[in-house]
């Protein structure tokens, strides 16, 4: 398929192709973090959505949604408690 770069960019209504891809990856990561009982850490979600550096993911997420990815996961507070050898770590449920 022969398409010029200009034509390709025009198809994205003012958004660059990379901005579109980045936005879709952030939307997928947000969905994973909001999922009830998600067992993934922020770093795992970043890697799952192809962000090579968790700190870059955190900055991009904060710029897009106005809060840290950790706050998004905490906001739902639906994640199961993490259990250590003696039950819930520190005796406090997250």
């Amino acid at each position: 398929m022969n398409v010029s770069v200009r034509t390709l960019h025009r198809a994205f209504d003012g958004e660059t192709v990379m901005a579109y891809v980045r936005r879709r990856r952030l939307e997928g990561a947000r969905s994973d973090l909001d999922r009830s009982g998600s067992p993934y850490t922020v770093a795992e979600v970043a890697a799952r959505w192809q962000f090579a550096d968790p700190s870059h993911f955190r900055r991009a997420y904060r710029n897009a949604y106005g809060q840290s990815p950790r706050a998004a996961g905490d906001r739902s507070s639906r994640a199961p408690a993490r259990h250590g050898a003696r039950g819930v770590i520190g005796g406090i449920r997250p």
Side-chain angles (χ1 to χ4, degrees), residues 24-48:
R24 292 302 306 246
R25 288 168 49 216
L26 284 168
E27 288 171 356
R30 185 179 198 189
S31 175
D32 281 356
L33 289 168
D34 284 345
R35 187 170 295 132
S36 178
S38 175
Y40 302 114
T41 65
V42 171
E44 289 170 335
V45 169
R48 175 182 167 102

Side-chain angles (χ1 to χ4, degrees), residues 7-61:
T7 301
L8 181 63
H9 282 280
R10 244 185 309 176
F12 283 85
D13 295 324
E15 184 177 39
T16 67
V17 176
M18 280 309 303
Y20 171 80
V21 171
R22 186 179 313 108
R23 181 174 54 83
R24 292 302 306 246
R25 288 168 49 216
L26 284 168
E27 288 171 356
R30 185 179 198 189
S31 175
D32 281 356
L33 289 168
D34 284 345
R35 187 170 295 132
S36 178
S38 175
Y40 302 114
T41 65
V42 171
E44 289 170 335
V45 169
R48 175 182 167 102
W49 287 96
Q50 305 301 308
F51 287 91
D53 181 15
S55 63
H56 172 73
F57 168 69
R58 288 181 183 99
R59 283 191 305 272
Y61 192 96

